[in-house]
Amino acid sequence: MRSWSQRFYKAGALYGRRNVISKARDSTKPWIRDLSLSPRRTAFSQPISDLERRISDIPLERFRNFCIVAHVDHGKSTLSDRLLELTGTIAPGGNKQILDKLDVERERGITVKAQTCSMIYNYNDQDYLLHLVDTPGHVDFRAEVSRSYASCGGALLLVDASQGIQAQTVANFYLAFAQGLHLVPIVNKIDLPTADPPRALEQMKETFELDPAKAVLVSAKTGLGVEAILPTVIEEVPAPIGDHLKPLKLLLVDSWYSNYKGVILLVRIFDGQIKAGDHIISFATGLRYIVGEVGIMYPGQTPQKSLRAGQVGYIYFNPGMKRSQEAKVGDTYTTVGAEKQVQPLPGFEEPKAMVFVAAFPVDQGDYAHLEDSINQITLNDRSVTLQKEASEALGAGWRLGFLGTLHCSVFEDRLRQEHGASIIITPPTVPFKVVWKDGREEIISNPAEFPDREAGKSGPYADLQEPYVSATITLPEEYLGKVIELCEGNRGEQKELQFFTATQVILKYDLPLAQLVDDFFGKLKSVTKGYASLDYEESDWRRSNIIKLQLLVNKEPIDAVARVVHYSQAERLGRQWVTKFKQHVDRQMYEVVIQAIAGKRIVARETIKPFRKDVLSKLHASDISRRRKLLEKQKEGRKKLTAVAGNISIDQKAFQAFLAK
């Protein structure tokens, strides 16, 4: 017979279970979740919001997908803010540059990652669904711009009224033109005292053959003329093409990582529709997933019942996608079972790393923390390549590859600001190609692995090659001579010289990539007082007389500071290295010899004299031979000390100071 306590416990358990189940099914208490419900039923149990109702009533013919492209600092993010305010997506007068979400973007005033937002705009008493993409303006992030074009049917080509057409404006125009986008010319910053809108319109007409009559003159800062942009977009930009009744076909445009949801995908729906609970498959990997949530960026993540053809939105899976490598940008997804009915989209070309640096923790005890920090940032920036590396001087570290020098600088800033990392970064280098005598080709990104050779003599290889880029420079005519001198001094080959206005010049040069990453942009800004702009793209590999330059301390190489340079620059750089390194090395008890060696030839040397006792202090009026005898005796003792002491120890601070910009 059960005791009173056992009967009470059983009755309470039964009552508790019934109570929990009844509460879970009570829609008035959403905080209690019924685990027996499927994701599909849970998703559809929520009421439809006013936003969803408005979007569901908008047909595909009233969708418009467009992006804003321009040169750096021509006002893209500020214009995005005004458009979001105009459509009521955000409250007016709030945070500036709302689509720039990284601290480094707000601090530097640049856009690093393309950001998206959906808007609803009422025009002629009809709602239109507009999808806006704010793109980066710097050449290092061209891959972001290219991906943005795939989700758009048109672009706002923004030009600063005070600066006119710049190098990146030209590059973005031809990129958009090649993809068949409809371009809407916008002249910004017309409120500035130095603004010259007629000149900007004339440049657009002569350079791009755009009709000045269709251009919109605005000031994104004050809001002047901005209300005319969206009606122009609706009239000029075509609606996306698609059919929501066909099998699902969506393109993966971008992705980012969430600690709680896994990898979140930004997608463009071409055909069909997608909702929570759907089973979809990737064409690139063949992996299958269950959709956990779909939604739009408005401007944050706003869940929706479904996404249909023509829309751009986000999705994530349940269970979540844990590896960001599975989300291959440019991949096509479809519903499981419809693979044979859907033709995959062409996708994108993966951006290649063009600049490499070595990174080491200041304190080797921080290695694990720094590794976690680097891995966390690379989850959301997969264009960074990562490889472990070790240096005798600086310890364990990594070899990192970037799209350009600004990309590298932004990554370093994010490590310091977001993760508090203390890090040593070596100067940027570029990859080189070695063609061995057996016909094998090898790309070398680490200078320490570059084969040694003597000047004027061939090594165990048939050929050495370095990468070149095609650079486009726009500048005022008055600085033309100085810029040509700068390009020629950096081993450039002139390809084209074109006056696109009476005072503006487009100059095209083929330049070695190694010269470009050696602060070429800073030198260009210096000689033109900031008026020149630069754009470049990959060209080809060319045979070159290159050699490895190393720093030796007491005949021991410091592998972390090795570089591959052109033979003509080896002696000058070698002298700079030894002079700078000498300033940061403390005086020792014995002689320290600092040498720069190019191949097997020493091109520069500095010597740090040792501390020594004043053995002559006790002598007053002694003979010269007595003095010489004491000095020789001290010299012999110094040789024995050097032989016993072996290699010297150099403080980490010396390497930090030497590698500092």
Side-chain angles (χ1 to χ4, degrees), residues 390-558:
S391 163
E392 291 182 10
L394 298 174
W398 302 266
R399 171 76 41 180
L400 302 172
F402 299 98
L403 302 177
T405 50
L406 178 65
H407 187 202
C408 173
S409 178
V410 166
F411 187 89
E412 184 181 352
D413 283 354
R414 290 187 66 187
L415 276 177
R416 298 185 195 279
Q417 293 174 6
E418 298 175 18
H419 301 274
S422 298
I423 189 170
I424 301 173
I425 298 281
T426 62
T429 61
V430 302
F432 296 92
K433 182 185 286 186
V434 178
V435 182
W436 302 98
K437 288 185 176 177
D438 59 2
R440 188 167 44 92
E441 293 185 355
E442 184 180 359
I443 306 292
I444 296 177
S445 59
N446 187 349
E449 299 172 0
F450 194 79
D452 291 315
R453 74 179 180 94
E454 292 187 47
K457 297 183 180 180
S458 63
Y461 45 79
D463 199 9
L464 296 175
Q465 299 176 5
E466 66 175 328
Y468 270 67
V469 294
S470 297
T472 302
I473 304 169
T474 61
L475 67 150
E477 184 267 339
E478 59 190 287
Y479 302 110
L480 181 59
K482 291 181 179 179
V483 173
I484 289 177
E485 186 179 339
L486 175 67
C487 293
E488 296 290 340
N490 283 275
R491 301 189 287 125
E493 298 177 14
Q494 186 175 322
K495 293 298 178 184
E496 188 179 339
L497 174 62
Q498 175 188 352
F499 283 80
F500 67 96
T501 68
T503 58
Q504 289 289 112
V505 182
I506 294 181
L507 188 61
K508 294 189 177 181
Y509 260 88
D510 282 355
L511 289 165
L513 181 58
Q515 301 296 132
L516 196 74
V517 303
D518 189 19
D519 198 28
F520 180 84
F521 189 62
K523 296 170 186 173
L524 178 66
K525 287 290 185 183
S526 178
V527 299
T528 62
K529 299 180 181 178
Y531 285 105
S533 60
L534 171 70
D535 174 66
Y536 63 88
E537 59 184 2
E538 225 179 322
S539 179
D540 55 3
W541 295 89
R542 300 188 188 181
R543 187 174 188 177
S544 183
N545 187 13
I546 48 181
I547 196 166
K548 180 164 71 174
L549 183 65
Q550 288 181 288
L551 189 69
L552 274 59
V553 178
N554 279 10
K555 299 184 179 179
E556 290 295 326
I558 309 297

Side-chain angles (χ1 to χ4, degrees), residues 246-249 271 283 334-335 337-344:
K246 287 185 177 180
L248 175 68
K249 179 164 70 172
D271 287 316
F283 274 93
T334 189
T335 310
E339 300 94 287
K340 294 182 179 179
Q341 304 174 47
V342 174
Q343 184 70 25

Side-chain angles (χ1 to χ4, degrees), residues 362 394 424 584-586 650-659:
V362 172
L394 298 174
I424 301 173
H584 303 296
V585 176
D586 294 331
I650 297 177
D651 192 14
Q652 285 274 10
K653 292 180 180 177
F655 291 108
Q656 293 176 40
F658 175 72
L659 294 172

